[in-house]
Amino acid sequence: MADLSVKVAGVDFKNPVIPASGVFGYGREYEEFYSLSRLGGIATKGTTGTLRTGNLPPRIAETPMGMLNSVGLQNPGIDHFISCELPNLMKKDTVIIANIAGSTPEECAEVAAKLDSTDVHMIELNISCPNVKHGGAAFGVSCEGAASVTKVVRNATRKPLIVKLSPNVTDIASIAKAVEAEGADSVSLINTLLGMRIDINTRRPVLRNNCGGMSGPAVFPIAVRMVWQVANAVKIPVIGMGGISSGRDAIEMMMAGASAVQVGAAVITDPFAPVKIIDEMNQFLDEKGIKSVSEIIGAVKPW
Ligand SMILES: Cc1cc2nc3c(=O)[nH]c(=O)nc-3n(C[C@H](O)[C@H](O)[C@H](O)COP(=O)(O)O)c2cc1C
């Protein structure tokens, strides 16, 4: 058995596989299938300052090799998360990453400050949600916006801070550098790509929000490219995600430069996907005689 442990921003992970924010809730439904202690970590559903009901349905649509969602950050708010969800998660012997968002930088900072006095291991600041009208992606699409929200959140917490980047930009590497300069300890990418489907019979968009975030296997090559570009541009560790659905995908993402991976849409099609991915990574490393998964981080040999 290969050593699957990795360190990201000073935090030890027993393996690099983390269910992505928004597809795993707070883990309760998945505990019925397997012990959450098998996972490297868990990124929780995006949490805001107060309860959000999210967007009107329909807000999920299937696409070939992927899905569109416009959930719109439905969540019970930070106080509920801290009092009702976090205590259960903190018992699970895995790294807990609280994913946060807000309509303004100040709201993000307020949420981060509340988490600062909890035991949560890491904070993932989502500056990239394409499905909310205010804030969300608006922060993440310019270097100035990304830097300014990172700065106020950095000042609000001493927890290791991961900033989650939007792929809906021209030059993701420069945005990664901007958040690194403001004190981000890590960056994670990619969030969903803005997409749209239309029902040709009714001529209505399939999603009530008209547009939504595209994820799943179809976005994988785009995610690998962006992780590779960002990993070459920053010194902080990169967490890669976008379309990972097998151990081989996870290995490929790590060869592109990711120190850990998150698994999103694949968890919706198969709740066991994260644990299968861990086993498949192990098998690949053993077959190749690679002793530690950290040996493959950034191991791609570009032409
Ligand atoms: C239903 C759904 C809800 C999501 N909610 C969030 C969220 O609350 N916060 C966040 O940062 N990302 C959210 N995401 C984005 C995922 O965490 C991930 O970045 C994206 O789906 C790409 O990975 P994938 O192709 O493996 O799904 C959501 C994705 C899906 C499919």
Side-chain angles (χ1 to χ4, degrees):
M1 285 258 282
D3 175 10
L4 285 187
S5 66
V6 291
K7 206 187 239 311
V8 181
V11 177
D12 290 313
F13 288 70
K14 67 181 74 162
N15 66 63
V17 181
I18 306 160
S21 174
V23 299
F24 208 70
Y26 305 107
R28 290 187 190 275
E29 295 80 3
Y30 294 86
E31 269 182 296
E32 293 171 21
F33 297 122
Y34 47 83
S35 165
L36 302 186
S37 69
R38 291 178 67 188
L39 302 168
I42 296 171
T44 57
K45 174 65 193 166
T47 301
T48 49
T50 50
L51 170 151
R52 284 179 71 106
T53 49
N55 294 328
L56 291 174
R59 49 193 204 175
I60 297 274
E62 270 191 70
T63 70
M65 300 277 289
M67 62 181 283
L68 280 177
N69 92 82
S70 63
V71 173
L73 292 181
Q74 178 185 352
N75 79 92
I78 187 64
D79 294 337
H80 182 276
F81 173 74
I82 290 174
S83 58
C84 300
E85 302 294 348
L86 193 55
N88 180 50
L89 282 164
M90 292 310 299
K91 289 186 215 142
K92 301 300 169 191
D93 185 28
T94 186
V95 174
I96 303 302
I97 303 170
N99 181 286
I100 68 167
S103 302
T104 60
E106 291 68 34
E107 183 184 349
C108 297
E110 183 201 325
V111 176
K114 286 188 175 178
L115 286 164
D116 199 51
S117 50
T118 69
D119 291 331
V120 78
H121 301 107
M122 304 179 95
I123 293 176
E124 181 176 55
L125 169 65
N126 176 10
I127 60 167
S128 48
C129 184
N131 300 319
V132 287
K133 290 219 161 44
H134 301 289
F139 303 142
V141 294
S142 73
C143 289
E144 297 73 26
S148 66
V149 65
T150 302
K151 186 175 188 176
V152 293
V153 172
R154 176 72 292 167
N155 288 333
T157 178
R158 288 153 303 166
K159 299 280 181 193
L161 179 63
I162 306 161
V163 178
K164 182 163 175 180
L165 307 181
S166 171
N168 300 305
V169 296
T170 320
D171 179 9
I172 197 165
S174 60
I175 294 180
K177 283 203 265 192
V179 305
E180 179 182 41
E182 292 300 344
D185 299 299
S186 170
V187 282
S188 60
L189 61 140
I190 59 174
N191 206 318
T192 53
L193 287 142
L194 205 51
M196 183 180 190
R197 296 291 308 266
I198 297 165
D199 179 331
I200 57 170
N201 292 310
T202 62
R203 302 183 182 190
R204 290 273 198 200
V206 172
L207 297 175
R208 182 63 191 261
N209 199 41
N210 297 324
C211 297
M214 173 76 194
S215 70
V219 310
F220 182 64
I222 300 169
V224 172
R225 183 264 295 177
M226 288 189 163
V227 164
W228 180 64
Q229 287 178 325
V230 168
N232 282 301
V234 297
K235 293 192 180 62
I236 51 179
V238 176
I239 300 174
M241 79 195 94
I244 294 173
S245 60
S246 69
R248 300 185 84 84
D249 291 344
I251 298 274
E252 187 175 333
M253 190 64 96
M254 291 186 72
M255 287 185 175
S259 295
V261 295
Q262 293 189 17
V263 184
V267 181
I268 297 178
T269 44
D270 177 5
F272 289 94
V275 287
K276 284 184 185 165
I277 289 171
I278 296 165
D279 291 345
E280 287 165 12
M281 290 179 86
N282 225 327
Q283 199 184 336
F284 174 87
L285 295 170
D286 285 350
E287 276 166 19
K288 300 282 178 197
I290 301 168
K291 294 209 163 38
S292 164
V293 74
S294 52
E295 285 174 39
I296 63 157
I297 299 171
V300 61
K301 299 184 213 163
W303 297 103

